[in-house]
Amino acid sequence: MGVEEQRAGKFYVERDVLDELCLDQVARRRTPSTTPPLKERVKDSLRCSMPKLKRSVLSTLPVLSWLPRYSVRDNGLGDLISGISVGIMHLPQGMAYALLASVPPVFGLYTSFYPVLVYCILGTSRHISIGTFAVISIMIGSVTERLAPDSDFTFLNGTNGTAVLDVTARDAYRVQIAASTTVLSGLFQVLLGMVRFGFVVTYLSEPLVRGYTTGAATHVVISQLKYIFGIHPARFSGPLSQILIDICRHLPETNIGTLVVSLVALVVLIVVKELNSCYEKKLPLPIPIELIVIVAATLISYYGNLNSQYDVAVVGEIPRGLKSPCLPDVSLWGTVVGDAFAVAIVGYAINISLGKTFGLKHGYKVDSNQELVALGLSNTVGGFFQCYSVTSSMSRSLIQESTGGRTQVAGVVSSVIVLITVLQLGTLFGELPKAVLSCIVFVNLKGMFKQYLDIPALWKSNTVDLLVWLVTLVCTILLNLDLGLAASIAFSLLTVIFRTQLPRYSILGQVPGTELYLDTDTYEEAKEIPGITIFRSSTTVYYTNAELYLDALQKKSGIDVGKLLTRKKKRDAKKKRKDKKEKKAKKEAKKQVLHITYTYSPIHTHHIYIQSYTHTSHIHTVLYTHITYTYSPIHTHITYTYSPIHTHITYTYSPIHTRITYTYNYREIDIDIYLAGCQGECLC
């Protein structure tokens, strides 16, 4: 059957060419198992047993699998320190990102409490920190400002005729909108997780996600400029150029006190964060500069009367205690359904990418479908308590990991810190300037703006991914966040289609003295084997690119099937006419002898070898050609050489009509076609 030898660094294999039937006999193919009927499968899924019930409970509530085995000695101290550190970060970030969502700062603290507890019970990642995030917050803010603009809550004062804004009514309605959007996005995530749709994130490539978050960071910066300068620009829905023009128009109205507070806070935050980065290995814990700045700014604002004397905008009254749960406004769902779905997809994409990164680093599995359910229930439950959408935060997750956090107990500890603040300390931050919160948002966007460094890296590695990154960035900046995401996904899918439509075709040659076969256009030492052409395609063959595949095959191999078929038909027609004349001549002149000889004399041989790669297997096509036509006048001598027709075809992902044409045309000019390396299910 075969001979294998290995000597002097060479490997030689010789065996017979097998078709599918011979392969099944030699390898003794197993009989495929029959799938049970749907009725039986439903019955089996409804049957209950103790092992099955235990698996279902543990997969639904992952906390039951790790909490009973929790070691206080090994993990307790690390989780405690990590939880306190993350909780301290939750306080300034929760209040700051609430401004992005256009809701009062205290609702950012609520968002840092309820969803975190839910995820600790249902989540499978041990190191990510769930809570407020800049991109999700700005997406929620775009919805709340669109449906509840300031103009809807402005009325004229009957006394002096000035316009008065009802801030209380506006904020209450915006909170209602944010909560309704959050519940709907959570339901989307839960439903997708229940139908095992976690793979949907694979359609959001890394360049798309990074380009989108970079564009969203630009929206965040623009939205916070009004707090930095203390101005009140109008709201625009559309290109950011309109917003920038309006902000520039209001710059003469800049509040000097607010600008001074912003500059001082920015300088302090940037300097100390850089010190934290430089001395990361020497410091036991990073300096909580955000919390220090908030406390210092609150004290300076309170004792310096910044709000009353210099008109510096402050957070205002923060209610003490927690909000009671309430039902969301279902009537808003029809208006925010598109925004809710976009929030659900983006939030899950950020969460699962970060979770799998930590899971791979620390050697545990993160279930993508369970993460979808956990994040969805975190949003759904949080929405009933007037929270807005959450996802994991890179900055907090890195702090949770670097300070020794090993389980989600660290998340519980951070929730306790937030709870204490809401119940007892929240009212103390009423005099906190909003400009300080905006500065915290600015500084925390440093990581996102570093993603602009992806441009030179992608330029060197993959220009298509660079194009996806740039188009996503431009669409996100110029369009709204939801429309920008939809346009980016559509463009990314188009690039996938174009990659299959425009693959790289090449002719391979052997490097002398080796078993390497490389592209002859790229490598000078790669030489074609005389009489053999090796053709390679970089993509799979299916109905949309089958014709392109055949055209490239003819062009690269130098064999024009159409011309050869035409010539063969002409020669066959001439032969038939000559045979007819010959028979007629025999009848008319029996004494005349015509000498005709048929011989099998292969004069010219040409072989073609085709390689076409798929994602799951390699396709090899071998075309053997024996065509010889020698013509002499009929009255002297005719020699016609015709090789026996022997064609073996195996093909994948090709429509029937294309495959038949492909086989028939080459068979007509006596070419043997072999596509080797296919999976058995793909063989014809």
Side-chain angles (χ1 to χ4, degrees), residues 481-628:
L481 292 174
D482 51 351
L483 295 179
L485 178 63
S488 303
I489 294 176
F491 181 79
S492 180
L493 293 178
L494 283 177
T495 61
V496 175
I497 296 174
F498 282 122
R499 286 182 187 184
T500 60
Q501 290 289 72
L502 301 173
R504 177 174 178 176
Y505 300 109
S506 56
I507 297 295
L508 301 185
Q510 184 182 21
V511 179
T514 69
E515 297 298 323
L516 300 176
Y517 292 86
L518 304 175
D519 185 4
T520 56
D521 295 335
T522 306
Y523 298 93
E524 295 181 358
E525 292 297 324
K527 305 296 182 182
E528 292 188 53
I529 301 175
I532 297 177
T533 301
I534 304 175
F535 177 78
R536 180 176 67 182
S537 171
S538 63
T539 187
T540 184
V541 181
Y542 65 111
Y543 69 97
T544 63
N545 64 357
E547 292 297 331
L548 297 175
Y549 182 88
L550 296 180
D551 293 341
L553 171 60
Q554 293 186 12
K555 182 179 179 181
K556 289 287 186 179
S557 65
I559 295 180
D560 192 330
V561 180
K563 289 183 178 180
L564 290 177
L565 283 174
T566 302
R567 292 177 182 177
K568 183 177 182 298
K569 289 178 181 179
K570 288 181 179 180
R571 291 192 179 102
D572 290 344
K574 288 181 180 180
K575 181 179 180 299
K576 289 181 180 180
R577 289 196 300 269
K578 291 173 183 178
D579 289 343
K580 187 176 180 181
K581 290 180 180 180
E582 179 186 352
K583 292 179 181 179
K584 186 177 180 180
K586 285 182 179 181
K587 291 180 181 180
E588 293 179 353
K590 294 182 179 180
K591 295 182 180 181
Q592 185 180 357
V593 178
L594 176 65
H595 180 65
I596 303 176
T597 305
Y598 295 92
T599 63
Y600 183 87
S601 176
I603 297 176
H604 177 70
T605 303
H606 189 73
H607 305 277
I608 301 176
Y609 184 83
I610 303 176
Q611 271 189 337
S612 177
Y613 292 107
T614 66
H615 297 295
T616 56
S617 64
H618 296 290
I619 307 174
H620 306 282
T621 307
V622 186
L623 290 78
Y624 294 104
T625 310
H626 302 274
I627 305 174
T628 304

Side-chain angles (χ1 to χ4, degrees), residues 92-101 105 134 217 220-231 258-259 261-263 265-267 269-270 273 290 293-294 297 313-315 432-446 449:
Q93 290 187 6
M95 291 189 289
Y97 292 154
L99 296 182
L100 296 178
V220 171
V221 169
I222 300 301
S223 68
Q224 295 303 292
L225 289 178
K226 59 183 179 182
Y227 298 110
I228 296 292
F229 292 100
I231 57 179
T258 302
L259 183 59
V261 171
S262 302
L263 293 177
L266 277 175
V267 170
L269 287 168
I270 292 174
K273 279 186 171 289
E290 295 172 339
V293 168
I294 282 181
V314 296
V315 170
L432 173 64
K434 290 184 178 180
V436 174
L437 296 178
S438 296
C439 293
I440 293 174
V441 172
F442 267 47
V443 175
N444 285 319
L445 292 176
K446 175 185 175 183
F449 285 115

